[in-house]
Amino acid sequence: MDAESKTIPVVEMRNIKKNFAAVQALKGVDLRLNHNEVLGLVGDNAAGKSTLMKVLSGAYIPEEGEILIEGEKVHFTDPLHARRLGIEMVYQDLALANNLDITANVFLGRETVARQIGPFGVMNSHMMEQDAQRLLERLKIDIPSVRLLVERLSGGQRQAVAIARAMAFNSKVIIMDEPTAALSVAAISKVLELVRELKAQGASIIIISHRLEDIYSVSDRLMVMRNGRKVRDCPITESIDEFREHVVAYMIGARDDFAVEEVR
Amino acid sequence: MITAEKLPRSFSVKELVKTQQHNIREYGMYIAFVVIIAFFAITTKGVFVSSRNIGNLVNAMSYIAVLAVGMTLVIVIRHIDLSVGYLAGFLGAIAAISLKYWHVPVLPTILMVLVLGIVAGLGTAFLVAKMKIPAFVATLAGWLGYRGALQLATQSTGTIIIENDVFNALGNGFIPDIFPNSSMLPGIHKVTLLLGLLAIGLFVFGEIRNRRRTQSYNFEVPPLNVFLLKSVFISLVIAVITWILAKYQGLSWAAVILILVVLLYMYITTRTVIGRHIYAVGGNPEAAQLNGISVTKITFMVFGSMGLLTGLSGILYASWLRSASTIAGAGMEFDAIAAAFVGGVAVAGGVGKVSGSILGALVMASLTNGMNLLGWDISIQYLVRALVLAGAVIFDVATRKKAS
């Protein structure tokens, strides 16, 4: 990757608007994600952060606004389309099939086919197992065997598998929706470690979380949303206490000095 | 490091047990099957395991086993199909009418019935996947409808006797032998013997090749003695069955059809993308959809295959009885569902193997056959089968709970 392409943000969303019936969920939101950056996205419930991410992952189509991936304008039609263009979403409920093993889940919907017999693609199981094993090793995820069924994994291990899946196919952006919710303290620190590992390996990540300390510990930049608008967007430089105080003030609307024109 | 427990990467017994936990249910079933066979072999003084009886047993179970294969996949994707019994009966009647009154040759008749089966299956899928009607209700309507259709088709004639020998051979006939009168191995069906040897050869070859390939990809394989024990055991089972069948009239056409169906479906479910997607849809439909798998498409395929196998089952049944009656197929759906559950298919979906359901069908058929040989009253037979079904599911649930 040359220096020039690094200056172009990997994702740029401009003036995104999305309505649900009479409710304006997104009132013209901008978002910028630079290469190899971890962007923390916070906001109270119904602030619009999940809606914004669903627009980016192709699940929702916005009424207005444009999305640029590495400087190229795109119009997502569905999540698969976004995925083909390198946008991977790690869903809060993980979207794993617990009855299948780790390999099957990593390759779910994207199985490696050895040959085609009529309508039947014959899977190259050994190749997929080997690739899954390498992926786990590369991400330093310590699970004894890729043949373990997901139902036999702990919550943290499942989260790791879901994240590994997002990394499996040369993705450009990984969106994580509450990756540390419903995990034990030990598992949370492991997931955060994994996020740092992904960044060290060059991934660009957007992470949604209610846990401000998690955002603080892994993110380079923070974006706060409230009532469908962006109310703060700045690098994380303060101490954790200052950070928390500021963020909460913006989240609940005690401070609202961000230079945004009210959208009409 | 994302790990709850530190386990060595190298092979260990603990790890084997952990990875094999989900197979323990299956081994339990094999053991139960062997016990049942041993019980009837002893109590009937060997009649149960006689060549003639085993041959009949296979013919009498084939039409249920074929349904059980299809039903396995239907239950795996969290649905049920109650309509298959009377649909099989109705399609068998269509076959009989086509042969007897329309004078259509055997092959076109069979093809037509199979196509009709697929159409019926797709109809069910339409109700389930598109109209969002619960499969239980949609197929209950099918159960009523096909029952009516069967009576309508056989109303004017009553039971239709099928006089076509080729058609009737499917459910009753045996594969031809080479040199039946040669002095070598008199009274032994040599083609069956050769096929048995071929099967053992292919099995051993496949196992060795798979083990080598697994090793070449640096994955651990079971220890050599476990591998040898398993291979020798399964080869022996094939050899014994082959010998028993060869001593009578050899392999029946119904057995050949059943074996082909089972091999095909085992291959599809374990080796192909569609098979993987069927289990993904059963395990977590939302996850499957999010990962680009069309749940609707899979539903259509699974019910379509169920319809195809129902057509085949109807053909085997009509051929076996050499007729189509007004009540053909009654209760077959429940035998197929019971076979699947005895074979370890989970009610909640996502779990269940084709091989397990076949074993389940074999267990249930062996019970019926053995108890008939012993002259047990039909009331007792139902009670025993009820206990076996309940016991199998209790064992299944208990081992599953332990595993998780």
PDB file of all heavy atoms in Angstrom, chain B residues 5 32 56 67 89 95 101 197 215 300 386:
ATOM      1  N   GLU B   5      -9.638 -23.166  28.852  1.00  0.00           N
ATOM      2  CA  GLU B   5      -8.811 -24.182  29.487  1.00  0.00           C
ATOM      3  C   GLU B   5      -7.608 -24.454  28.589  1.00  0.00           C
ATOM      4  O   GLU B   5      -7.705 -24.399  27.377  1.00  0.00           O
ATOM      5  CB  GLU B   5      -9.604 -25.478  29.720  1.00  0.00           C
ATOM      6  CG  GLU B   5     -10.151 -26.096  28.456  1.00  0.00           C
ATOM      7  CD  GLU B   5     -11.583 -25.648  28.165  1.00  0.00           C
ATOM      8  OE1 GLU B   5     -12.468 -26.278  28.688  1.00  0.00           O
ATOM      9  OE2 GLU B   5     -11.757 -24.661  27.429  1.00  0.00           O
ATOM     10  N   ALA B  32     -26.752 -50.653  21.043  1.00  0.00           N
ATOM     11  CA  ALA B  32     -28.139 -51.062  21.236  1.00  0.00           C
ATOM     12  C   ALA B  32     -28.603 -51.966  20.094  1.00  0.00           C
ATOM     13  O   ALA B  32     -29.283 -52.973  20.302  1.00  0.00           O
ATOM     14  CB  ALA B  32     -29.040 -49.835  21.338  1.00  0.00           C
ATOM     15  N   ASN B  56     -35.734 -60.677   3.729  1.00  0.00           N
ATOM     16  CA  ASN B  56     -37.098 -60.142   3.837  1.00  0.00           C
ATOM     17  C   ASN B  56     -37.135 -58.862   4.648  1.00  0.00           C
ATOM     18  O   ASN B  56     -37.855 -57.917   4.326  1.00  0.00           O
ATOM     19  CB  ASN B  56     -38.013 -61.173   4.505  1.00  0.00           C
ATOM     20  CG  ASN B  56     -38.345 -62.299   3.550  1.00  0.00           C
ATOM     21  OD1 ASN B  56     -38.253 -62.129   2.343  1.00  0.00           O
ATOM     22  ND2 ASN B  56     -38.707 -63.450   4.098  1.00  0.00           N
ATOM     23  N   LEU B  67     -37.904 -43.077   3.298  1.00  0.00           N
ATOM     24  CA  LEU B  67     -38.614 -41.926   3.865  1.00  0.00           C
ATOM     25  C   LEU B  67     -37.824 -41.308   5.021  1.00  0.00           C
ATOM     26  O   LEU B  67     -37.747 -40.086   5.161  1.00  0.00           O
ATOM     27  CB  LEU B  67     -39.986 -42.342   4.395  1.00  0.00           C
ATOM     28  CG  LEU B  67     -41.107 -42.599   3.395  1.00  0.00           C
ATOM     29  CD1 LEU B  67     -42.378 -42.952   4.160  1.00  0.00           C
ATOM     30  CD2 LEU B  67     -41.336 -41.395   2.510  1.00  0.00           C
ATOM     31  N   GLY B  89     -48.523 -43.570  -0.611  1.00  0.00           N
ATOM     32  CA  GLY B  89     -49.612 -44.453  -1.019  1.00  0.00           C
ATOM     33  C   GLY B  89     -50.274 -43.974  -2.303  1.00  0.00           C
ATOM     34  O   GLY B  89     -50.508 -44.752  -3.234  1.00  0.00           O
ATOM     35  N   ALA B  95     -48.761 -45.008  -9.860  1.00  0.00           N
ATOM     36  CA  ALA B  95     -47.883 -45.927 -10.592  1.00  0.00           C
ATOM     37  C   ALA B  95     -48.677 -47.144 -11.070  1.00  0.00           C
ATOM     38  O   ALA B  95     -48.569 -47.558 -12.236  1.00  0.00           O
ATOM     39  CB  ALA B  95     -46.722 -46.363  -9.709  1.00  0.00           C
ATOM     40  N   TYR B 101     -53.700 -49.328 -16.363  1.00  0.00           N
ATOM     41  CA  TYR B 101     -54.793 -48.792 -17.179  1.00  0.00           C
ATOM     42  C   TYR B 101     -54.323 -47.866 -18.276  1.00  0.00           C
ATOM     43  O   TYR B 101     -54.967 -47.737 -19.306  1.00  0.00           O
ATOM     44  CB  TYR B 101     -55.814 -48.081 -16.283  1.00  0.00           C
ATOM     45  CG  TYR B 101     -56.424 -49.027 -15.268  1.00  0.00           C
ATOM     46  CD1 TYR B 101     -56.202 -48.858 -13.913  1.00  0.00           C
ATOM     47  CD2 TYR B 101     -57.211 -50.108 -15.687  1.00  0.00           C
ATOM     48  CE1 TYR B 101     -56.736 -49.721 -12.984  1.00  0.00           C
ATOM     49  CE2 TYR B 101     -57.749 -50.989 -14.757  1.00  0.00           C
ATOM     50  CZ  TYR B 101     -57.519 -50.799 -13.414  1.00  0.00           C
ATOM     51  OH  TYR B 101     -58.043 -51.669 -12.507  1.00  0.00           O
ATOM     52  N   LEU B 197     -17.161 -57.806  -1.449  1.00  0.00           N
ATOM     53  CA  LEU B 197     -15.707 -57.642  -1.419  1.00  0.00           C
ATOM     54  C   LEU B 197     -15.318 -56.262  -1.943  1.00  0.00           C
ATOM     55  O   LEU B 197     -14.447 -55.586  -1.390  1.00  0.00           O
ATOM     56  CB  LEU B 197     -15.032 -58.738  -2.266  1.00  0.00           C
ATOM     57  CG  LEU B 197     -15.063 -60.145  -1.652  1.00  0.00           C
ATOM     58  CD1 LEU B 197     -14.502 -61.181  -2.627  1.00  0.00           C
ATOM     59  CD2 LEU B 197     -14.260 -60.169  -0.340  1.00  0.00           C
ATOM     60  N   GLN B 215      -3.501 -36.479   7.668  1.00  0.00           N
ATOM     61  CA  GLN B 215      -2.138 -36.331   8.193  1.00  0.00           C
ATOM     62  C   GLN B 215      -1.337 -35.335   7.366  1.00  0.00           C
ATOM     63  O   GLN B 215      -0.575 -34.538   7.901  1.00  0.00           O
ATOM     64  CB  GLN B 215      -1.432 -37.691   8.194  1.00  0.00           C
ATOM     65  CG  GLN B 215      -1.774 -38.523   9.419  1.00  0.00           C
ATOM     66  CD  GLN B 215      -1.263 -39.934   9.312  1.00  0.00           C
ATOM     67  OE1 GLN B 215      -1.169 -40.499   8.227  1.00  0.00           O
ATOM     68  NE2 GLN B 215      -0.925 -40.523  10.447  1.00  0.00           N
ATOM     69  N   PHE B 300     -36.948 -25.267   0.085  1.00  0.00           N
ATOM     70  CA  PHE B 300     -37.476 -25.867  -1.143  1.00  0.00           C
ATOM     71  C   PHE B 300     -36.705 -27.139  -1.513  1.00  0.00           C
ATOM     72  O   PHE B 300     -37.291 -28.144  -1.902  1.00  0.00           O
ATOM     73  CB  PHE B 300     -37.427 -24.858  -2.298  1.00  0.00           C
ATOM     74  CG  PHE B 300     -38.679 -24.028  -2.416  1.00  0.00           C
ATOM     75  CD1 PHE B 300     -38.799 -22.818  -1.754  1.00  0.00           C
ATOM     76  CD2 PHE B 300     -39.757 -24.487  -3.167  1.00  0.00           C
ATOM     77  CE1 PHE B 300     -39.956 -22.061  -1.840  1.00  0.00           C
ATOM     78  CE2 PHE B 300     -40.922 -23.743  -3.264  1.00  0.00           C
ATOM     79  CZ  PHE B 300     -41.019 -22.523  -2.599  1.00  0.00           C
ATOM     80  N   ALA B 386     -42.724 -48.392  21.617  1.00  0.00           N
ATOM     81  CA  ALA B 386     -42.876 -47.108  22.313  1.00  0.00           C
ATOM     82  C   ALA B 386     -41.731 -46.907  23.300  1.00  0.00           C
ATOM     83  O   ALA B 386     -41.114 -45.837  23.368  1.00  0.00           O
ATOM     84  CB  ALA B 386     -44.213 -47.068  23.047  1.00  0.00           C
TER      85      ALA B 386
END
